[in-house]
Amino acid sequence: MAQTVGFFTDTTLCIGCKACEVACKEWNGLPNNPLEFRDSYDNTGQLDHANWRHVRFVEQATTSQDKPIAWSMMSDVCKHCANASCLEVCPTNAIVRTEFDTVFIQQDVCNGCRDCISACPYGVIGFNSNTGTAQKCTFCYDRLQNNLKPACATACPTQSIKFGPLDEMRQTAAKRLDALHQQGMSQARIYGNQEYGGLHALFLITDKPEAYSLPSTQSAVLPSRNNFPGYLTAAVTAVIAAVAGLIAFRRRGEISSPSPSAGGSAPSPSPAGGGQGGG
């Protein structure tokens, strides 16, 4: 029987090599990023339809005069939330929970409405204009089905990305956190145990979540299954389209109908075939 699986990403071990990004792209056949200069060492930019792993480069201030700035790297990924808002708002049930308790977008069912993109609090879902569908990390679902580790965890040279049963990942994270606290890193914490009902991607961070572009749950508003605003928007759009179609139809009728002659009535159309109707 399949187990609930998870990631544990230890930012204190990440060296920013991007091996996880490369392995993810190679395994999933994702396109390469265009070569462009950015304001940092980050040449990926963000998670989207073409980037399912993204190494963030986070600048952190220190108390050292010799080294006032330190770098902290974090390999970001879809969190596969226990309370997955993307799954809740999907109107076609394209987004499902697999036997491994991960969140998966069925490409042949997705209609490209992009409700999931708006609902995701982590901004991990992107829209592929070539396929017309929403895409994100699949947790290497095909590899899981064949008892293989996800490509990113397999490629990580420092074991910053760990993979296994979710309960085991929580225990590993707790032990690592205790070790860092004993070393004096009191600011270290685990992100993902409580957020959005619990995440399947845990992160050991050494600063506030916002420094890593991770939202806190204090301002979290999860949409309901009904997704009333989304359906209301769709309904209004449909009504406007129907009214516009009706107006266009009536205008075509007015243009095609002959004008009545002066002093007489409009001629009646002849029956099909030009013959007279018989009694």
Side-chain angles (χ1 to χ4, degrees), residues 100-207:
F100 303 100
D101 210 16
T102 59
V103 180
F104 182 82
I105 302 178
Q106 302 175 94
Q107 293 297 295
D108 58 339
V109 184
C110 177
N111 67 354
C113 71
R114 312 187 201 192
D115 284 357
C116 57
I117 296 177
S118 301
C120 177
Y122 295 105
V124 306
I125 308 175
F127 181 76
N128 188 333
S129 58
N130 293 325
T131 62
T133 58
Q135 295 179 338
K136 70 171 189 67
C137 163
T138 66
F139 223 116
C140 281
Y141 182 51
D142 51 348
R143 293 177 65 91
L144 296 183
Q145 290 177 310
N146 289 281
N147 297 317
L148 297 173
K149 292 170 58 177
C152 55
T154 302
C156 181
T158 63
Q159 294 189 335
S160 170
I161 303 173
K162 296 178 176 62
F163 164 82
L166 183 57
D167 289 340
E168 181 180 315
M169 292 297 97
R170 287 173 176 158
Q171 295 174 7
T172 301
K175 291 179 181 178
R176 177 61 175 166
L177 182 64
D178 288 342
L180 291 180
H181 283 173
Q182 292 176 10
Q183 296 174 19
M185 297 183 64
S186 58
Q187 72 276 27
R189 56 163 291 184
I190 301 298
Y191 183 94
N193 280 330
Q194 304 296 329
E195 288 76 10
Y196 296 95
L199 308 180
H200 289 236
L202 308 174
F203 297 87
L204 191 155
I205 57 179
T206 58
D207 203 338

